[in-house]
Each structure stands twice: as C-alpha cells, then as structure tokens.
Amino acid sequence: MRQTLIVANWKMYKTLSEAEEFVERFPGEIAGISGIETVICASFTSLARLSVLTEKTTILLGAQNMHWQKEGAFTGEISPLMLRDLCVKYVIIGHSERRQYFGETDEIINKKVSAALKNHLIPILCVGETWDERKQGRTFLVLNQQILFGLQSIDNEKLSSIVVAYEPVWAIGTGKSANKEQVQEVHAYLRDVIKEFTSSNEMAFNIRILYGGSMSPKNAQEILSLKDVDGGLIGGASLKIDSFSSLVQIAESVQKVKEQ
Ligand code: PGA
C-alpha cells in the first residue's frame, strides 16, 4: 500500500515570521492524524529555522529547487548538501514555473533528479502539459518526454524512492483543477511509462504519483480517491492553516477507505 503524501508548495510566499507562525500552530491542527506524510516545501530563507521548529513534530521539510552540484562557484544557488544539512527530506524538481520562467530543460531537471538521489534527498519530479498541448492532443507525448528525460540514466535501485507529480500547467493557480477522468487517465499512463522504463511491475506499483493544480478541500476527496493518485502537491490551498489541515484530514479519511 502506498502511503499518501500531502505536500505544501509555498512558492515565493511567506516571510520567515509568517512561516514560523504557521509551523508553530499547524502540528496542533493535525494532531491525531496518522498514516499521512505531510511535507512543507518552504523558501530557502525559512528552511533552517523550520528544521528546528519541526524537529519534534510529524511535519517533514522540503525545498522547492536546488542545484545539481555539491558545491562550487555558482553564485546564488543552493546545493543538495546544504539541504541535507538542514534535515530537508524532499525537493521539488522541474516545477512548471521553473521550466517556464527559469528556462529549466529536461536535461537540467535530469541532473537535479540524479543529484537529489545521490545525496539522499527524495525528488518530487513535476510533469505536466500546457493547455495548448492538451488541445493539440499532445498531452501523452509531452508527459512521456518529460518523464523519460527526467529519469534518464538513473538506475532502478535509486528510482524506487522518487515521487512524481502530475501538474497540468493549465490547472495551476487557476482555481480549476483537472477533472477526475483526466487525472486518473494521466496517472495510470505515467505508471505504465514507469513500468516500461524500469521493467518492474513492482516498482511502478510502489512509486507515488501526486496530483497538483488547484487542489483544495472542495475537490480533494474526489481526486485523492482515484486509484492511481497517492497524494497532492498543493500551492494556494497550503498557505492557510485551515485549508491545509483540512486537506490532511481528507487525505487520512480517503486513505482509510483505500486500505479497506
Ligand atoms: P496550486 O499550485 O495548488 O496553487 O494550483 C500547485 C503547484 O503549483 O504546485
């Protein structure tokens, strides 16, 4: 059984004091919830402090990006070692905003996925088509390329820990998520591609595939209940304690039904 993973992607929101306030209150709101892995991907400026504040809680920390080198003359970049040092466990790689605004290519993303795994960080590899690509019937082609390039040359043993996030670009921050048929269709497809890539049914079955794109307490039950959906990568709805804790609660109740 795959453990449900609920990940907050705070993007470029929250100053240090806002992040501290959230993390001081949030564990109390989800106390008693079990079986759900809850991760907060905060900005780099908050991670050091949050690693202290989350130490005795069930909250895990994630970063939103990183460089692929351990160290070096790369002004302004953050290395996997620096993240490990702060007890960061997850790192989002290849988010569509990084692809779109910062020129990240599949090649760069592949280097980052590989570096994350080498440094014992769990990459959350994001893939997703734009609205134009969907309209042109190219959704599966685009996803196929993103996933195969993203995972290129990485051996099966390392791959077993990765997380994939399907985030249709047109659903991110729009308030309009993909519908349940679209989500299940893509997730099943991605699992098939992984099966072919790894030649392992077991690995494809065990890899967690998250959905991201306007997930909120309103649509979470429906999306998380889908067979191939193992959690969510949540932007807007993760910024408020109320909505993020409702999402974790919904995830717990869905997981219980799935376990039956
Ligand atoms: P959203 O963002 O939930 O605000 O749509 C999701 C994401 O970009 O990861």
Side-chain angles (χ1 to χ4, degrees):
M1 184 77 204
R2 302 181 291 265
Q3 188 184 23
T4 305
L5 178 58
I6 296 292
V7 184
N9 175 11
W10 279 355
K11 309 193 179 186
M12 200 173 71
Y13 291 101
K14 293 200 190 291
T15 59
L16 175 58
S17 58
E18 289 164 345
E20 280 175 330
E21 200 190 320
F22 188 109
V23 167
E24 272 158 3
R25 262 188 57 209
F26 182 65
E29 300 292 320
I30 59 160
I33 292 185
S34 61
I36 304 297
E37 237 185 315
T38 307
V39 180
I40 294 180
C41 297
S43 62
F44 291 132
T45 53
S46 298
L47 284 176
R49 178 72 185 132
L50 295 194
S51 84
V52 175
L53 291 179
T54 54
E55 207 176 9
K56 294 201 171 73
T57 73
T58 54
I59 316 294
L60 299 168
L61 278 189
Q64 300 170 19
N65 180 33
M66 61 163 213
H67 196 272
W68 61 87
Q69 299 275 9
K70 274 193 173 167
E71 58 184 10
F74 300 103
T75 302
E77 290 292 322
I78 303 285
S79 83
L81 272 191
M82 294 168 183
L83 296 178
R84 287 279 306 159
D85 203 27
L86 301 179
C87 301
V88 165
K89 183 166 179 197
Y90 286 89
V91 57
I92 299 173
I93 304 283
H95 190 282
S96 63
E97 286 151 16
R98 301 235 31 109
R99 294 177 191 257
Q100 193 179 345
Y101 305 128
F102 302 98
E104 288 200 10
T105 59
D106 287 319
E107 196 190 342
I108 291 174
I109 290 161
N110 176 245
K111 285 187 190 168
K112 292 185 176 188
V113 171
S114 172
L117 291 167
K118 264 191 209 128
N119 289 282
H120 310 288
L121 291 160
I122 301 177
I124 302 174
L125 170 63
C126 300
V127 297
E129 81 288 1
T130 63
W131 183 244
D132 276 351
E133 287 162 346
R134 180 165 275 271
K135 268 193 317 198
Q136 293 157 8
R138 295 174 53 222
T139 299
F140 295 111
L141 209 82
V142 169
L143 294 171
N144 189 282
Q145 162 158 347
Q146 289 176 343
I147 197 98
L148 292 184
F149 269 97
L151 302 182
Q152 208 174 28
S153 311
I154 297 174
D155 49 85
N156 275 11
E157 202 192 313
K158 290 221 169 79
L159 270 186
S160 58
S161 69
I162 76 151
V163 173
V164 172
Y166 169 52
E167 297 211 303
V169 179
W170 47 274
I172 294 177
T174 58
K176 198 177 172 296
S177 74
N179 66 37
K180 63 177 201 266
E181 289 79 17
Q182 291 166 328
V183 176
Q184 174 53 33
E185 185 184 34
V186 167
H187 280 232
Y189 172 76
L190 290 173
R191 217 177 278 292
D192 271 350
V193 174
I194 293 167
K195 181 155 65 181
E196 225 173 280
F197 180 77
T198 58
S199 312
S200 163
N201 282 352
E202 196 193 343
M203 180 129 22
F205 180 79
N206 287 329
I207 279 182
R208 289 180 292 179
I209 307 179
L210 313 182
Y211 170 78
S214 297
M215 189 185 272
S216 72
K218 283 200 188 114
N219 57 26
Q221 163 109 22
E222 182 173 70
I223 297 174
L224 293 174
S225 300
L226 297 167
K227 182 168 157 268
D228 284 295
V229 174
D230 308 307
L233 179 54
I234 298 133
S238 72
L239 293 169
K240 295 240 161 65
I241 292 189
D242 286 358
S243 53
F244 195 51
S245 52
S246 313
L247 281 164
V248 179
Q249 272 152 22
I250 294 167
E252 186 198 37
S253 66
V254 171
Q255 167 112 340
K256 282 193 174 139
V257 174
K258 281 186 169 175
E259 276 167 4
Q260 280 166 12

